[in-house]
Amino acid sequence: MRKVFKNKAAFWLVVMVLILSIAIGIFNASRTDVSGIENIVKTVISPVQKLFTDMGHGISDFWGYFSDKDKLHSEIKKLEDENADLRRQVSENEASRLENEQMRKLLNLKTDNYEFEFMAAEITARNPSNWYNSITIDKGAADGIVLNLPVVSAGNSLVGRISEVGTTWSRITLLTDPLHSAGAQVLRSGEFGISEGDNALSTSGSCKLSFVSKNADMIVGDTVITSGLGGVYPKGLVIGKIQKIRTDIQGISQYAVISPEADLKNLRAVFVIMDVF
Amino acid sequence: MKYVFHICFLLLFSVIQPTWLEYAEIFGAKINLFLTYVVVISCCCKKKEGAVVGFSFGLILDLLVGRIIGINAVMMMATAFLASNFCEKAIRKNTLWITLLMVGVTTLVYELLYYIVAFLGNLEFAAVFLRILLPETLGGIIAALPLYFIVGRAARFLWNDKGESIG
């Protein structure tokens, strides 16, 4: 080892690299614009990545068919039961909706149930690094995607937001990413907080609800939704369910570990909300 | 010829790392194929070549990760230079075990430095160590095994480098 560092050039190289890396880290950390070269590389490589992703899914599905045959049978049975239940609920809901509409007309109330315009997109790649949680989709500026649009999965479950836009691709920062945050609210009690990613939790696929007062009313199993505060996400997108509640080190406030509603690990397609506000 | 070989691996890893590696995670962490290849090449080839490969692979990784452009390029170039220097001066003879040890040590140190530089220590270290650093290091060592033999054979047959002592 001494021999390596006897060479002064090697020693100074290490020092220079450390200084340079820290400088790059500080000055480059919060950039959102995509450089020309980055756009070209990603635009060229994105279709190939999509092909590989599709191949990977094909192999995984084929393998899964044989390894999970029994599991699939019980799942089909469960889904059939759920389907029957949902059909009953739909007819009940339809009756309630009609009744609600009539009442609103009678009272002359405006509807606040805003219908979003969605754009479906396929996931072409995931972030190659362990430090960040992001995915790349096959829609970009050419399709009308702009920065900060919210992204959901089926059932209005929050996935994240658009953080980089290329010509034919975009990057989505997932809600479990350490750089992601969103105004949040506990659905049952109306308590406000901030949902944010955390590297310690993200490897287990969770995020946390922070800045909640010590006496806030929340229990394990509560649903957390977006509060609509902060200007990025509309109100009412489902973030997930509270898994654990913990008090912070100072003992002043508490935070909750949220298990996201969207299955972020197995996502294959997402919906970008095109008209947020 | 050797640069065509490196470019082929660069293209292959650029496609595989963000797509197929999610099926081969070690305790929830992805293997850094770029870094593993750079260290294996550095142990098997010349200093200058290792540094060039390190910089190119790091830059492409930066573009794929998309957050801090340049950080992986600079760090991988230095890693390659030091690994090559170490193998050349301190050990002289390259063996499989030395390469695996180098991959393990450099992955651990590299990711530790990335953690310090990119997050300025702003994350819980114990969780980061157990959930990212250790599994990634283990994954790097496993991935280095086939890479060592592929690079060794290539060095022997495609170009006449230090490859005669390995593979």
Side-chain angles (χ1 to χ4, degrees):
Chain A
M1 195 69 175
R2 247 184 213 172
K3 278 182 192 171
V4 177
F5 282 99
K6 256 185 187 173
N7 183 351
K8 278 188 180 171
F11 174 76
W12 284 111
L13 177 82
V14 174
V15 175
M16 287 296 289
V17 164
L18 268 176
I19 294 169
L20 198 59
S21 303
I22 290 170
I24 292 170
I26 290 169
F27 294 112
N28 223 345
S30 55
R31 74 185 186 98
T32 51
D33 52 328
V34 175
S35 63
I37 182 85
E38 198 178 351
N39 191 20
I40 292 167
V41 169
K42 289 281 289 177
T43 303
V44 170
I45 214 161
S46 240
V48 190
Q49 287 179 335
K50 188 169 184 255
L51 184 77
F52 269 67
T53 302
D54 290 345
M55 278 163 63
H57 288 158
I59 295 165
S60 158
D61 289 347
F62 182 74
W63 182 252
Y65 176 79
F66 292 105
S67 58
D68 299 335
K69 212 174 173 185
D70 291 338
K71 201 178 142 199
L72 282 174
H73 277 299
S74 61
E75 201 127 295
I76 288 169
K77 179 80 185 74
K78 198 180 138 200
L79 286 172
E80 278 173 352
D81 291 348
E82 263 180 35
N83 197 17
D85 208 34
L86 286 170
R87 276 171 195 277
R88 187 184 50 75
Q89 272 182 33
V90 165
S91 57
E92 277 176 17
N93 287 346
E94 186 60 18
S96 305
R97 192 185 64 82
L98 288 171
E99 192 186 14
N100 190 303
E101 215 167 81
Q102 283 167 355
M103 300 293 263
R104 278 182 181 278
K105 269 182 192 164
L106 281 171
L107 293 166
N108 204 17
L109 286 174
K110 277 185 184 173
T111 175
D112 58 353
N113 185 17
Y114 186 74
E115 299 260 329
F116 296 121
E117 189 192 317
F118 294 104
M119 180 183 279
E122 268 187 65
I123 294 162
T124 56
R126 287 176 181 271
N127 199 304
S129 159
N130 285 315
W131 297 105
Y132 307 104
N133 292 301
S134 66
I135 50 177
T136 308
I137 54 168
D138 62 348
K139 297 284 190 293
D143 305 286
I145 303 276
V146 290
L147 214 58
N148 286 333
L149 287 180
V151 182
V152 294
S153 67
N156 274 5
S157 309
L158 184 66
V159 169
R161 66 178 170 80
I162 302 283
S163 55
E164 275 178 48
V165 185
T167 312
T168 57
W169 59 273
S170 306
R171 197 188 304 275
I172 299 165
T173 297
L174 299 180
L175 63 108
T176 50
D177 188 280
L179 298 178
H180 180 275
S181 63
Q185 194 173 13
V186 178
L187 185 63
R188 184 184 54 81
S189 61
E191 294 283 355
F192 286 97
I194 291 176
S195 156
E196 50 185 14
D198 182 295
N199 237 4
L201 296 172
S202 72
T203 43
S204 58
S206 312
C207 57
K208 68 179 183 183
L209 179 68
S210 319
F211 301 102
V212 187
S213 68
K214 202 181 172 184
N215 305 316
D217 176 16
M218 54 182 187
I219 51 170
V220 171
D222 270 348
T223 301
V224 181
I225 58 168
T226 51
S227 64
L229 303 173
V232 173
Y233 297 106
K235 190 178 177 175
L237 303 176
V238 181
I239 296 174
K241 285 201 161 50
I242 292 179
Q243 218 176 18
K244 287 172 200 161
I245 298 169
R246 291 173 182 165
T247 307
D248 72 353
I249 302 163
Q250 290 86 20
I252 303 164
S253 62
Q254 55 179 342
Y255 71 91
V257 177
I258 306 172
S259 170
E261 185 76 3
D263 185 3
L264 301 175
K265 189 95 182 151
N266 298 308
L267 272 181
R268 293 188 183 185
V270 290
F271 300 95
V272 182
I273 302 179
M274 301 298 285
D275 54 343
V276 192
F277 294 104
Chain B
M1 191 65 192
K2 66 174 90 167
Y3 285 100
V4 176
F5 182 82
H6 297 322
I7 289 169
C8 287
F9 267 95
L10 181 60
L11 292 175
L12 183 72
F13 290 161
S14 303
V15 174
I16 284 179
Q17 179 88 31
T19 56
W20 285 3
L21 272 205
E22 63 177 297
Y23 300 108
E25 286 178 348
I26 310 274
F27 301 113
K30 290 189 199 90
I31 303 164
N32 190 341
L33 286 177
F34 285 74
L35 180 63
T36 306
Y37 183 82
V38 166
V39 177
V40 172
I41 281 290
S42 307
C43 288
C44 300
C45 301
K46 288 172 186 158
K47 245 186 294 186
K48 201 174 119 192
E49 188 186 336
V52 171
V53 170
F55 184 79
S56 328
F57 274 60
L59 191 62
I60 295 295
L61 183 61
D62 277 327
L63 295 176
L64 292 175
V65 171
R67 285 279 164 83
I68 308 171
I69 304 292
I71 193 165
N72 278 305
V74 169
M75 281 172 59
M76 270 197 201
M77 185 179 71
T79 303
F81 184 83
L82 289 175
S84 191
N85 215 14
F86 188 82
C87 285
E88 217 170 69
K89 290 188 176 167
I91 298 156
R92 291 186 188 276
K93 198 182 174 194
N94 185 26
T95 63
L96 172 65
W97 296 110
I98 295 297
T99 307
L100 296 186
L101 183 74
M102 282 302 290
V103 169
V105 171
T106 46
T107 306
L108 199 63
V109 173
Y110 185 92
E111 294 299 345
L112 188 66
L113 278 179
Y114 192 94
Y115 161 74
I116 294 166
V117 168
F119 298 97
L120 298 171
N122 200 17
L123 303 166
E124 206 180 312
F125 179 73
V128 164
F129 185 76
L130 288 174
R131 291 182 175 168
I132 296 179
L133 300 187
L134 276 187
E136 196 177 315
T137 303
L138 183 66
I141 293 170
I142 294 168
L145 205 63
L147 275 177
Y148 175 83
F149 289 105
I150 294 168
V151 171
R153 292 268 181 264
R156 187 184 293 173
F157 295 115
L158 298 178
W159 66 90
N160 195 18
D161 236 2
K162 283 189 279 179
E164 54 265 8
S165 60
I166 62 166

